[in-house]
Amino acid sequence: MKHRRIPHRRTVLASAGALALAATATVTLANAHAAPAPSVATLSPAAATTLASQLKTGTAGAFYDAKAQKLVVNVVDEASAAAVRAKGAEARIVKHSMAQLDAARQTLKTGATIPGTAWAMDPKANKVVVTADRTVTGAKLDRLTKVAKGLGDTVEIRHSQGEFKPLIAGGDAIWGSSARCSLGFNVTKGGQPYILTAGHCGNAVQEWSDQQGGQTIATTEDSKFPGNDYSIAKYTGNTDHPSEVDLYNGSTQKITKAAEATVGEKVQRSGSTTQVHDGTVKGLNATVNYQEGTVNGLIDTDVCAEPGDSGGALFDGESALGLTSGGSGDCTNGGETFFQPVPAALQATGTQIG
């Protein structure tokens, strides 16, 4: 039996450039020259992601400027800016430090963990962006507004006409007796093949088939939701399990590794309901308060998804980035979708891409 739902992703890394420091010429010293400015570095997507991870200390987030092909790193003082430029990235002086933004997130967690809300740090805005879905009204909205107002300009509230929910459905791809999800990535553990998918899918289904009412091909072994959103299911027979993602056009994308997402990265998502769609990473370490509970540490994107796409692959080329968790909207009107990062899920389950 051949199982073709294997998501893929291509890690998008950035090209980083350093802003040259302006030199002030002096009329009395004709031969004096300003010190050479750091040269603009051209980086592969992987190199940009690596660079971003190296520049976390003393910074307030980073993002990839796709148009300019550079990594932009937020800092709050000139000393940090100089260190960033020396590494080959562009430094941007901003108002709020990472410590201030983290404190705002903690205040939201304490005072505004309300079903139907989500928040993530937006490095482009240098704020924590809070989204309230259509269910957040009346006293709940008043409470959220009060908490956000107390945080001043570190927080911005936005509203969604959709509803945040795990994107599970009763119907196609990998099937259980009561639910349908999408396979995320084929992985291995101790040399044995497993399926990696969403935790809310694993909570709902013990035995999986690759067709409705079909023979069992995998059995859920470990599942985490809420808190996180990942699960693994062990293959039970000789089902094909290539490390690929279905592109729904007769071809597949090979997956060779897992990678962390970067804000500004262009990504793709594959799922059994809406097939392949692309978009951009908007935020990291996002918190979503579903009706079923809170999930932390998610990737926030503008990629659309619909029920049944849950568990499906977020990828960039050969890199596995995330597992579809949930969101609001649809692929007709657009929306916001959150993903469980793959590296964290692999570490927690003791699995690897393959």
Side-chain angles (χ1 to χ4, degrees):
M1 185 181 308
K2 185 163 184 172
H3 191 25
R4 62 187 180 88
R5 310 260 190 238
I6 304 158
H8 109 295
R9 160 204 182 231
R10 171 200 49 170
T11 36
V12 175
L13 288 183
S15 154
L19 288 180
L21 296 175
T24 303
T26 156
V27 294
T28 57
L29 297 174
N31 293 324
H33 298 282
S39 60
V40 174
T42 300
L43 303 177
S44 68
T49 294
T50 300
L51 180 58
S53 69
Q54 295 172 352
L55 294 172
K56 289 183 179 180
T57 303
T59 70
F63 62 92
Y64 178 54
D65 183 335
K67 185 175 181 180
Q69 295 187 309
K70 61 187 178 185
L71 183 70
V72 181
V73 182
N74 293 336
V75 295
V76 295
D77 56 60
E78 190 55 44
S80 297
V84 165
R85 294 183 187 116
K87 288 286 189 177
E90 177 176 322
R92 184 176 75 142
I93 301 291
V94 295
K95 180 178 180 180
H96 305 300
S97 68
M98 184 61 77
Q100 290 173 309
L101 297 174
D102 284 342
R105 289 168 55 89
Q106 185 58 47
T107 299
L108 289 165
K109 178 180 178 180
T110 301
T113 298
I114 301 165
T117 62
W119 50 78
M121 198 276 282
D122 181 348
K124 292 184 179 181
N126 188 226
K127 296 180 178 181
V128 176
V129 175
V130 181
T131 304
D133 73 15
R134 65 187 179 195
T135 69
V136 182
T137 59
K140 292 192 294 184
L141 181 57
D142 291 343
R143 174 183 162 195
L144 176 64
T145 302
K146 182 179 179 180
V147 173
K149 186 176 180 180
L151 293 169
D153 63 357
T154 60
V155 168
E156 176 184 345
I157 294 182
R158 298 175 184 173
H159 298 273
S160 171
Q161 295 304 307
E163 179 180 347
F164 292 130
K165 54 188 175 183
L167 298 173
I168 197 167
D172 183 6
I174 53 173
W175 293 79
S177 60
S178 60
R180 181 211 0 142
C181 283
S182 297
L183 189 151
F185 299 95
N186 279 327
V187 297
T188 61
K189 180 179 180 181
Q192 298 299 308
Y194 283 77
I195 289 170
L196 180 66
T197 188
H200 64 272
C201 294
N203 283 4
V205 174
Q206 180 62 31
E207 295 185 346
W208 292 101
S209 172
D210 61 357
Q211 56 186 304
Q212 189 172 21
Q215 179 182 347
T216 297
I217 63 165
T219 303
T220 298
E221 184 174 286
D222 186 19
S223 184
K224 295 292 185 294
F225 177 83
N228 297 290
D229 199 359
Y230 60 79
S231 67
I232 55 171
K234 186 175 182 180
Y235 280 107
T236 58
N238 296 320
T239 304
D240 240 357
H241 50 273
S243 188
E244 302 170 350
V245 173
D246 190 349
L247 298 180
Y248 288 91
N249 61 2
S251 64
T252 60
Q253 169 63 55
K254 185 177 180 179
I255 299 296
T256 61
K257 58 188 174 181
E260 300 289 351
T262 300
V263 173
E265 182 175 1
K266 300 297 183 183
V267 293
Q268 290 181 288
R269 176 198 58 73
S270 178
S272 60
T273 299
T274 59
Q275 302 184 2
V276 178
H277 287 270
D278 57 20
T280 304
V281 175
K282 296 296 185 182
L284 301 175
N285 198 23
T287 294
V288 185
N289 298 302
Y290 296 122
Q291 300 294 329
E292 296 85 352
T294 298
V295 181
N296 299 301
L298 299 177
I299 303 166
D300 185 8
T301 75
D302 62 6
V303 185
C304 72
E306 296 182 7
D309 287 327
S310 271
L314 181 73
F315 57 95
D316 180 2
E318 295 187 359
S319 297
L321 299 178
L323 306 167
T324 306
S325 174
S328 65
D330 54 44
C331 288
T332 299
N333 301 307
E336 182 174 15
T337 305
F338 299 91
F339 297 83
Q340 161 71 50
V342 167
L346 295 177
Q347 182 177 12
T349 57
T351 56
Q352 59 187 29
I353 294 295

